[in-house]
Amino acid sequence: MKKVGLIMGSDSDLPVVQKAVDKLKALEVPYEAHIYSAHRTPVQAKEFAETAEENGFGAIICFAGKAAHLAGAIAANTCLPVIGVPVKSSTLDGLDALLSTVQMPSGIPVATVAIDGAANAAILAAQIIALGDAELSQRLKDDRAKAAETVLKKNAALDI
Ligand code: RP5
């Protein structure tokens, strides 16, 4: 199975990244995590993106806060699907990161999820990998059915 790359701009993003790790582990999707910054280590970030396809990655999730250029910088250097997670790590509550991540120029897409939306990023990455893996596709369907069951149980128990 192809791997998911998890790239974070700083180790201060780790609590958010962990939510994606938990989801990928639950779905049994292999991943590899790195700290590469678009600003502090641009050479290593570019090198990762340029070699990601030949290194067995099928999708890349980028986590960054503040002036969050990481997902865009990675997307600029690979044709693999890139998912951006804007991280709430500033006095602007993540709105700065959201806009920096989502407002990509035409031709270089970044699939941007919600601020701190790490679990959805992991699910989306798994859905991409599942295009070539029927068993993973089934696990995703089972996961959804379980989530629906939880809501329906709450509905049945609702007494207000
Ligand atoms: C971004 O700046 C990182 O992704 C992080 O969210 C934010 C702050 O980084 P630190 O100053 O905590 O290392 O590049």
Side-chain angles (χ1 to χ4, degrees):
M1 192 190 300
K2 296 211 172 185
K3 296 179 280 189
V4 174
L6 303 173
I7 311 299
M8 67 204 91
S10 166
D11 62 348
S12 65
D13 299 321
L14 268 171
V16 177
V17 177
Q18 187 61 49
K19 291 190 249 169
V21 167
D22 293 346
K23 202 42 155 175
L24 291 173
K25 277 187 177 162
L27 289 166
E28 297 170 51
V29 176
Y31 65 89
E32 195 179 299
H34 295 281
I35 303 169
Y36 293 137
S37 161
H39 306 117
R40 293 168 176 155
T41 61
V43 173
Q44 290 80 1
K46 181 170 186 272
E47 160 82 8
F48 174 86
E50 283 174 345
T51 56
E53 199 169 344
E54 71 202 50
N55 285 334
F57 291 93
I60 302 171
I61 307 176
C62 297
F63 305 79
K66 297 186 174 172
H69 298 130
L70 182 60
I74 294 287
N77 288 293
T78 181
C79 282
L80 288 175
V82 174
I83 301 164
V85 182
V87 174
K88 179 177 166 174
S89 65
S90 76
T91 47
L92 295 180
D93 276 347
L95 185 59
D96 45 357
L98 173 62
L99 298 178
S100 304
T101 304
V102 78
Q103 290 285 36
M104 286 297 292
S106 175
I108 311 291
V110 167
T112 305
V113 296
I115 296 168
D116 289 354
N120 264 1
I123 293 167
L124 184 53
Q127 287 173 335
I128 291 165
I129 305 286
L131 289 172
D133 190 302
E135 287 181 10
L136 175 57
S137 175
Q138 190 55 53
R139 285 199 290 282
L140 282 159
K141 286 170 189 157
D142 293 346
D143 219 36
R144 271 213 190 176
K146 223 185 289 168
E149 211 177 287
T150 305
V151 175
L152 292 175
K153 267 189 198 150
K154 287 179 183 172
N155 175 59
L158 190 64
D159 181 25
I160 51 169

